[in-house]
Amino acid sequence: MSLAAPVVGPKTDSSITGSIRLYNTLTRQKEALVTVKPGHVGMYLCGPTVYAESHIGHMVGPVIFDTIKRYLVYCGYEVTWVVNITDVDDKLIAASRKRGISMFQVATEMTADYLSNLRSLGVTQIDHMPRATDNMEEIILFIEELIQRGFAYASDGDVFFDVARDVEYGQLSNRTLDSQQGEGGEAASKKRSSGDFALWKSAKAGEPAWESPWGLGRPGWHIECSAMSRRILGKTFDIHGGGLDLVFPHHENELAQSRCCHGQPMVRYWMHNGLMRAGSSVGKVGGRATKADTDASSSASTTPATADAPAIASDAPADVSTKISRSKGAGGLADQIEKHTGERIRFFLLRTHYRSTIVFGDEGLEEAGQALNSFYRLISRFERITGVKFFEGVEYPSRRADGDMRLAQAPASDLRQSISALRQSFLEKMDDDFNTGGAVSDLFELARTINRHVDEHKLEETAKRTPEHLASFSLGMSVLHELGAILGLFIKPPKKTGDDDSGKLVEDLMQLLIKLRADARVAKNFATADAIRHGLTALSIGLQDLKEGTTWERT
RNA sequence: GGCGCUGUAGCCAAGUGGCUAAGGCAGUGGAUUGCAAAUCCACCACGCGUGGGUUCGACUCCCACCGGCGCCUCCA
């Protein structure tokens, strides 16, 4: 008999389940999701400029978009998700000079860093990751079209977007041209107006350059997103996202380029995630020492590209936190992941709403980890009682419609009733602008409901178990799996300790101690039993006496 | 200065014009346990920055004020 819950119904049909609403930065309100192509969602997230290591702030967008895609797919949409890599830019050139390696090398290195961070946080749903340097033809073509349509002009090797020609300019960030205070940068003399921005920049000697109708040069910052999104997603697509700090100028300019080039809107829904701040009480951000700029030993472990960047908040008042950014020295996310694990960080991010500001710090991560552990304890409890492996043996519906049907067909019981209600509540929160923070609360309630079921029916005691109660238990765990998967949680077993030789030895030694203590307990020699427990406690090892034996864990 | 966000218990954090304001962490009491851990139960904001206003009724809408933050320059 398999305790794994059956997956009901055909794998998928094209019907969409649920009514999703999302906050649109452009209109500043929540709107119902109506896609360009029925049943399909095209979404584009602005990825990093790969000139230095990524920091935790770079992960907010990918994690929420990864979750959004999982949810949309769960609801029956076919989703194409694009994240670009900007691998040509002034900062990349500067980094390559500083490090004495090619721009290409810098980009390759930092892209690898970015990808590894994404993987650690369970961001696995990206379909396309186009690089700017692989799309030069498309970019140049785009610029030519803009010139032809009269929205851009060439000027001494550079090409600028003519902001004055676009009467709708400023809609996204809600600002008028008059209020622009841009100085125009060093290219000011070549511009018609200070608000004009570069589509193409002429190359100076020794800079990486591509052939173009305007001479050797490279693309401006915004054009690659317009060109690459059009190539992959079309002239108008559904969702465009990024950090709140990209609203202006990046997205405003992207939007202007694309709309003017095509005479139709670029995007239906603009989504922006809140920015992350670092609590200075943390002392470190992204693994960077607070005094990196004065302490040579601490900067030895950082990369040459950012080693002498100023530290964050090193002289700020103790209760102040500031935005995390690389220009302030953040980086070294890999160290944070090593310390806290990717899933914990992901859970930490999803506990709050994506549009709110998050203060990143050890206290919050610890707390998140504490909370996450309770789910893993439930998973162990399930495996112990049923003998079924949660990660390999519990099947769960990958589509909302299937999940609905499965629950409707399950034998009626109080547990099914409450599980069903919690699942419903969870999905309604997700429908409402992907409210993962609210949805997580239902996950906790679900875990508590399942634990209560196990307690009430004494499922820890072999003799008291009934097939009905075990089946209900499994159904609950399957729903936990189903909902967790939407958030990208509980998908893979956490990495095991004890896979190597020393781990094996520790395990054997622990079993020996547990055996000795068990003998002492049988003999009512509690002094010895307690001596073992307390001795292990001092080594940060906890023992749990269960009905079926004793387990141990590092604390 | 312009545009925008935000202020909910010790901490983190959802949320709604009107049932007892989710959930988590921490804490307290209880069940359970030789002890402990885990789990479960109970308790933990008569109030949602402050002061006004609208309303039959606001934490939720409006105004003012105070505090925190972001963008306006590169930034996820």
Side-chain angles (χ1 to χ4, degrees), chain A residues 80-326:
Chain A
T80 305
W81 178 23
V82 181
V83 178
N84 69 289
I85 297 289
T86 299
D87 61 349
V88 51
D89 161 274
D90 292 358
K91 292 201 170 177
L92 271 146
I93 295 171
S96 93
R97 289 230 173 97
K98 182 176 269 181
R99 299 179 57 187
I101 59 178
S102 72
M103 187 178 83
F104 176 75
Q105 259 178 295
V106 173
T108 302
E109 228 174 74
M110 295 307 158
T111 301
D113 170 75
Y114 182 70
L115 293 178
S116 130
N117 291 149
L118 291 182
R119 224 176 297 119
S120 298
L121 295 199
V123 177
T124 60
Q125 304 293 304
I126 301 170
D127 298 295
H128 301 275
M129 293 191 88
R131 278 187 286 261
T133 55
D134 290 336
N135 289 270
M136 282 301 164
E137 283 182 32
E138 185 77 29
I139 289 169
I140 289 168
L141 182 69
F142 206 106
I143 297 171
E144 287 183 304
E145 287 177 37
L146 277 170
I147 293 175
Q148 278 162 24
R149 284 176 161 263
F151 288 103
Y153 57 92
S155 173
D156 192 22
D158 289 354
V159 181
F160 297 98
F161 184 86
D162 194 344
V163 174
R165 287 292 318 279
D166 179 17
V167 291
E168 293 181 51
Y169 187 82
Q171 279 183 333
L172 183 66
S173 57
N174 191 28
R175 59 189 78 203
T176 58
L177 276 177
D178 305 340
S179 70
Q180 304 302 321
Q181 296 182 354
E183 295 298 315
E186 40 183 278
S189 60
K190 298 181 179 180
K191 295 183 183 180
R192 290 179 188 168
S193 158
S194 68
D196 293 352
F197 53 91
L199 301 172
W200 190 261
K201 295 174 154 184
S202 57
K204 299 192 185 93
E207 289 181 345
W210 286 259
E211 293 279 4
S212 83
W214 317 283
L216 285 174
R218 62 179 182 277
W221 177 30
H222 322 293
I223 193 70
E224 86 275 19
C225 287
S226 287
M228 298 191 295
S229 66
R230 176 176 76 176
R231 200 197 85 213
I232 301 169
L233 298 173
K235 292 177 180 173
T236 299
F237 56 95
D238 300 296
I239 300 174
H240 190 136
L244 217 37
D245 53 354
L246 293 184
V247 174
F248 188 90
H250 186 52
H251 288 164
E252 191 71 75
N253 292 350
E254 250 184 71
L255 179 163
Q257 290 162 354
S258 291
R259 180 171 34 68
C260 290
C261 188
H262 305 133
Q264 65 190 69
M266 178 190 194
V267 168
R268 291 230 169 149
Y269 310 95
W270 288 89
M271 295 182 72
H272 291 97
N273 58 266
L275 303 178
M276 193 160 258
R277 295 192 289 147
S280 63
S281 61
V282 175
K284 289 182 168 189
V285 174
R288 187 166 303 281
T290 307
K291 292 181 178 173
D293 50 345
T294 54
D295 182 351
S297 66
S298 71
S299 60
S301 63
T302 61
T303 67
T306 56
D308 54 4
I312 285 187
S314 58
D315 53 356
D319 57 344
V320 170
S321 62
T322 52
K323 178 184 164 189
I324 293 173
S325 82
R326 285 184 295 202

Side-chain angles (χ1 to χ4, degrees), chain A residues 422-437:
Chain A
L422 288 170
R423 175 176 173 275
Q424 191 56 35
S425 170
F426 179 100
L427 297 178
E428 282 168 10
K429 307 253 178 64
M430 290 300 290
D431 280 342
D432 183 12
D433 197 27
F434 312 107
N435 180 2
T436 57

Side-chain angles (χ1 to χ4, degrees), chain A residues 366-383:
Chain A
E366 295 294 343
E367 189 192 309
Q370 210 53 40
L372 197 56
N373 282 343
S374 65
F375 290 107
Y376 279 103
R377 280 188 223 104
L378 173 58
I379 288 170
S380 309
R381 194 179 199 193
F382 171 76
E383 295 184 336

Side-chain angles (χ1 to χ4, degrees), chain A residues 373-492:
Chain A
N373 282 343
S374 65
F375 290 107
Y376 279 103
R377 280 188 223 104
L378 173 58
I379 288 170
S380 309
R381 194 179 199 193
F382 171 76
E383 295 184 336
R384 201 169 62 235
I385 289 173
T386 63
V388 174
K389 290 291 179 197
F390 180 79
F391 295 102
E392 296 86 28
V394 174
E395 291 192 53
Y396 58 93
S398 58
R399 293 302 155 103
R400 185 169 182 168
D402 295 339
D404 290 344
M405 199 187 308
R406 191 265 297 266
L407 272 173
Q409 291 175 354
S413 70
D414 288 351
L415 185 66
R416 188 198 71 170
Q417 193 63 27
S418 40
I419 286 172
S420 188
L422 288 170
R423 175 176 173 275
Q424 191 56 35
S425 170
F426 179 100
L427 297 178
E428 282 168 10
K429 307 253 178 64
M430 290 300 290
D431 280 342
D432 183 12
D433 197 27
F434 312 107
N435 180 2
T436 57
V440 162
S441 75
D442 293 314
L443 230 43
F444 280 108
E445 293 243 42
L446 179 61
R448 177 150 32 115
T449 301
I450 296 171
N451 269 317
R452 190 189 301 131
H453 175 263
V454 174
D455 284 0
E456 272 175 6
H457 299 291
K458 302 197 165 36
L459 298 187
E460 294 278 6
E461 298 172 51
T462 314
K464 301 274 175 69
R465 293 171 191 161
T466 69
E468 295 75 37
H469 290 148
L470 288 175
S472 296
F473 187 13
S474 291
L475 178 66
M477 292 305 287
S478 176
V479 171
L480 180 67
H481 220 331
E482 174 188 348
L483 302 182
I486 292 170
L487 300 179
L489 300 173
F490 322 133
I491 289 174
K492 289 186 299 189

